Amino acid sequence: MKFRPCIDIHNGKVKQIVGGSLRDTGDQARENFVSEQDAAFYAALYRDSGLQGGHVILLNPEDSPYYQETKKQALNALKTYPEGLQIGGGVCPENSEDYLDAGASHVIVTSYVFRNGRLSWENLEKIEKETGKEHLVLDLSCRKKNGAYYIVTDRWQKFTDVKITLDTLRELGAHCDEFLIHGVDVEGKAGGIEAELVKLLAEYGERSVTYAGGVGSMEDIRTLEVYGKGKLDVTVGSALDLFGGKIPFDSLKKLK
């Protein structure tokens, strides 16, 4: 299990938020932490710590008045740590190559591929052709409904009709290099992982999978490693001491 660091940017600031609280209307979110440092600061820290495959996420939609400042922060992070970070948030064929040229190792895509509550194979083929499978991460972040985990889009506000199953992972895995999967219902709450989801993901071993959501302690990390059978990487946000939490950054660096 490797530690994948993150840089979440909202309204032009590096933040940690409660995942399910994000709203496009008024660019609102319930905040756990707002950093005084910019995105480039964290990119340099991750670079100097030898951590690769971290995620830079733009949390504002393109029509937000804060979008350009959020994007500027993201591009500065990529410039600071070229080929060391992945980027997501509004990625589509029209801007994916720009992000890769700016230094991203991968682009992370959800809403472009899952349109109007459904999987668009046409859009998946377009983005795969534009970036190359080797540079594409599919974000399958999900919420539980009627006993199953469904992929959610548009900053986790909209349910799709696509369930997280082994068949789904195998089918989509033929078109990407990695998966990023947040357990959205526990994201940002540091109250424990989505154990049922983790156990499901552990049954899949064909592509790299990074899990996020609910990690609040080193005990949660150990639980994730057991339930995930050592197959899953992990990203930690609000619980990390860099973002006001209690888990020492230095202890997670050892997971690399």
Side-chain angles (χ1 to χ4, degrees), residues 181-240:
I181 303 178
H182 291 75
V184 175
D185 290 328
V186 298
E187 171 67 18
K189 297 179 181 178
I193 64 171
E194 282 270 21
E196 184 180 346
L197 175 61
V198 167
K199 290 175 182 177
L200 170 60
L201 299 178
E203 296 303 312
Y204 172 78
E206 298 173 23
R207 298 283 175 197
S208 176
V209 177
T210 298
Y211 169 84
V215 174
S217 66
M218 288 305 296
E219 182 60 32
D220 288 331
I221 293 288
R222 288 187 283 271
T223 300
L224 176 61
E225 189 162 23
V226 171
Y227 288 168
K229 301 180 180 180
K231 296 179 181 180
L232 307 181
D233 291 344
V234 61
T235 186
V236 180
S238 300
L240 200 61

Side-chain angles (χ1 to χ4, degrees), residues 3-4 44 67 140 155 202 231 250:
F3 169 55
R4 303 287 197 99
Y67 177 76
L140 307 185
R155 285 151 299 283
K231 296 179 181 180
D250 286 345

Side-chain angles (χ1 to χ4, degrees), residues 67-118:
Y67 177 76
Q68 290 302 324
E69 183 57 33
T70 290
K71 184 177 180 180
K72 179 181 176 182
Q73 288 274 346
L75 291 174
N76 285 340
L78 298 181
K79 181 180 179 181
T80 301
Y81 191 8
E83 299 301 318
L85 297 167
Q86 305 172 355
I87 189 165
V91 173
C92 61
E94 289 72 28
N95 61 23
S96 59
E97 198 65 31
D98 291 339
Y99 286 132
L100 293 173
D101 289 344
S105 66
H106 296 69
V107 293
I108 305 168
V109 179
T110 309
S111 296
Y112 178 75
V113 170
F114 298 93
R115 306 293 288 181
N116 301 315
R118 298 180 182 276

Side-chain angles (χ1 to χ4, degrees), residues 16 18 28 104 106 119 130-131 139 154 156 240 243 247 251:
Q16 286 297 315
V18 177
Q28 299 176 28
H106 296 69
L119 170 60
E130 185 67 29
T131 66
D139 183 339
D154 298 276
W156 305 332
L240 200 61
F243 304 122
I247 299 179
S251 67

